Amino acid sequence: MKTDNLFYRLFKTLPTLVLELAGITVDNPDGYAFRAEEVKQTAFRLDGLLMPPPDAPDAPLVFLEAQAQPDEDFYGRFFSEIFLYLYRSVPRRPWRALVIYPQRAMERLDFRYAELLALPLVQRVYLEDLATFPTPSLGLQLLQLLVASPDVAVRQAQHLARHARTESIALPLRQIEFLDLIETILVYRLPQLTRQEIQTMLGLTHAELQKSRFYQEVFAEGRQEGHQEGRQEGRQEGHQEGRQEGHQEGRQEGRQEESVALVLRLLQRRFGALPASQEHLIRRLSLAQTEALAEALLDFQTIADLTAWLAAQ
């Protein structure tokens, strides 16, 4: 998992997919949680560890690595991390290991670990083989997006998005989380497109965008910045003009700063750094105008749309 945060995000959101890939059947698959685990007093870090529920002592730990680059020393490091973790971990549990490669050509075998690789405890999965699966699950269809050609990936992503809207998802996650994973994978696969273009391609609605992880994270960051700036402004005004008046103005300015921070962050993530002149105009907007811009920018296609909107104010 050291080579690609996308895999961590995917398995963190959908840990049961690891069990499916490894061919592991347990009584309570939804009780598993995926996380990174540091082995104390060593320099090793297990970037992919699927933890079974505490009340299932016979359910195995699953050590996971997604190896997207050739590495001659990979298996030596991987097995060293596993056995050191097993030596130090309490309570003792059975274990399995899963290595994911995009293609077989990425793998670098080492004869010293041939016997370990032959064990049924160790599973290797090559994503290029997923194209031959006749009826893949929804989770495996998400993984297919990672290895399909860009044109095929787009068509498959659009099909999955339509499926998510019209039918129930047989996965332990909400519809918006499934749509968010599709969007994230396409952002990774199609770096030449903006997030807005990908959202339009998938037909995401305004309501869905507001529920997405991307929007929520940006809103939370903007709200935190606004609260911090507003509190600071309020304290300064309170000292200068009186505590009560300062608190009132601070609350108002805090709300304004919160809205401005959110709008600027959304615009910068969509279009990159804004011209200083446009940022200056945005900071001069009223609270009502700023909140209106926060809604309108979700429909902007290019920076020219922002320019036109500001000119109309």
Side-chain angles (χ1 to χ4, degrees):
M1 301 285 288
K2 294 180 175 61
T3 56
D4 199 340
N5 289 332
L6 179 61
F7 283 101
Y8 182 87
R9 165 80 181 282
L10 182 63
F11 295 126
K12 180 73 172 177
T13 305
L14 192 56
T16 54
L17 185 55
V18 179
L19 301 176
E20 183 178 359
L21 288 171
I24 298 173
T25 302
V26 296
D27 293 334
N28 182 22
D30 294 342
Y32 271 81
F34 187 73
R35 69 191 192 193
E37 185 78 11
E38 187 171 354
V39 182
K40 294 181 180 179
Q41 299 178 353
T42 76
F44 287 139
R45 181 178 180 83
L46 297 166
D47 289 333
L49 179 61
L50 193 67
M51 296 293 296
D55 58 354
D58 296 330
L61 298 163
V62 184
F63 300 93
L64 173 64
E65 284 282 352
Q67 191 64 20
Q69 300 294 333
D71 185 350
E72 301 289 345
D73 299 321
F74 167 70
Y75 282 117
R77 184 177 66 254
F78 185 46
F79 287 120
S80 296
E81 292 170 351
I82 290 174
F83 292 127
L84 185 57
Y85 181 88
L86 293 174
Y87 171 67
R88 295 184 180 276
S89 66
V90 177
R92 296 183 176 183
R93 287 182 174 274
W95 64 277
R96 297 282 295 273
L98 175 64
V99 184
I100 300 174
Y101 291 99
Q103 301 92 22
R104 282 180 170 78
M106 293 293 179
E107 186 176 20
R108 295 295 182 266
L109 294 172
D110 189 326
F111 72 92
R112 296 173 296 176
Y113 307 106
E115 286 78 9
L116 288 173
L117 292 173
L119 291 174
L121 297 174
V122 181
Q123 189 84 7
R124 288 172 288 168
V125 172
Y126 309 94
L127 296 184
E128 62 184 351
D129 294 343
L130 295 180
T132 63
F133 279 45
T135 55
S137 67
L138 287 178
L140 293 181
Q141 289 181 59
L142 285 174
L143 289 177
Q144 285 179 333
L145 299 179
L146 297 173
V147 290
S149 66
D151 290 343
V152 172
V154 168
R155 291 197 299 272
Q156 290 177 337
Q158 291 171 330
H159 169 75
L160 286 173
R162 287 194 298 270
H163 177 89
R165 293 191 184 91
T166 59
E167 302 179 31
S168 60
I169 301 174
L171 292 172
L173 72 169
R174 295 181 298 123
Q175 178 194 74
I176 191 61
E177 292 173 325
F178 186 69
L179 291 171
D180 202 39
L181 282 178
I182 298 173
E183 178 190 343
T184 300
I185 292 174
L186 283 192
V187 168
Y188 169 83
R189 290 299 316 280
L190 305 172
Q192 73 278 11
L193 299 181
T194 66
R195 186 176 288 268
Q196 173 65 28
E197 290 171 328
I198 289 173
Q199 291 167 347
T200 301
M201 183 185 301
L202 294 175
L204 296 180
T205 65
H206 178 80
E208 289 168 338
L209 291 175
Q210 286 188 312
K211 294 179 182 177
S212 70
R213 176 177 175 176
F214 169 75
Y215 186 93
Q216 295 297 332
E217 286 180 349
V218 172
F219 182 83
E221 292 171 2
R223 182 169 53 191
Q224 182 177 7
E225 290 184 3
H227 281 323
Q228 291 174 347
E229 294 180 15
R231 283 196 298 268
Q232 183 176 359
E233 295 264 344
R235 284 195 298 268
Q236 292 174 350
E237 293 292 331
H239 286 309
Q240 293 172 359
E241 301 179 13
R243 181 175 299 175
Q244 182 176 1
E245 182 179 352
H247 282 317
Q248 291 174 347
E249 294 185 3
R251 284 194 297 269
Q252 179 72 12
E253 292 178 5
R255 185 179 173 189
Q256 171 69 4
E257 290 293 339
E258 178 182 333
S259 297
V260 169
L262 170 62
V263 164
L264 290 176
R265 190 173 295 276
L266 284 169
L267 289 170
Q268 288 164 1
R269 289 203 179 186
R270 176 161 296 173
F271 303 123
L274 299 177
S277 58
Q278 287 190 335
E279 182 172 339
H280 176 70
L281 289 174
I282 292 170
R283 292 189 179 279
R284 293 182 59 189
L285 294 174
S286 67
L287 177 59
Q289 289 174 317
T290 305
E291 291 176 343
L293 178 56
E295 295 289 332
L297 67 84
L298 294 174
D299 297 322
F300 290 172
Q301 300 293 326
T302 67
I303 194 69
D305 294 326
L306 172 62
T307 302
W309 191 95
L310 290 172
Q313 305 308 306

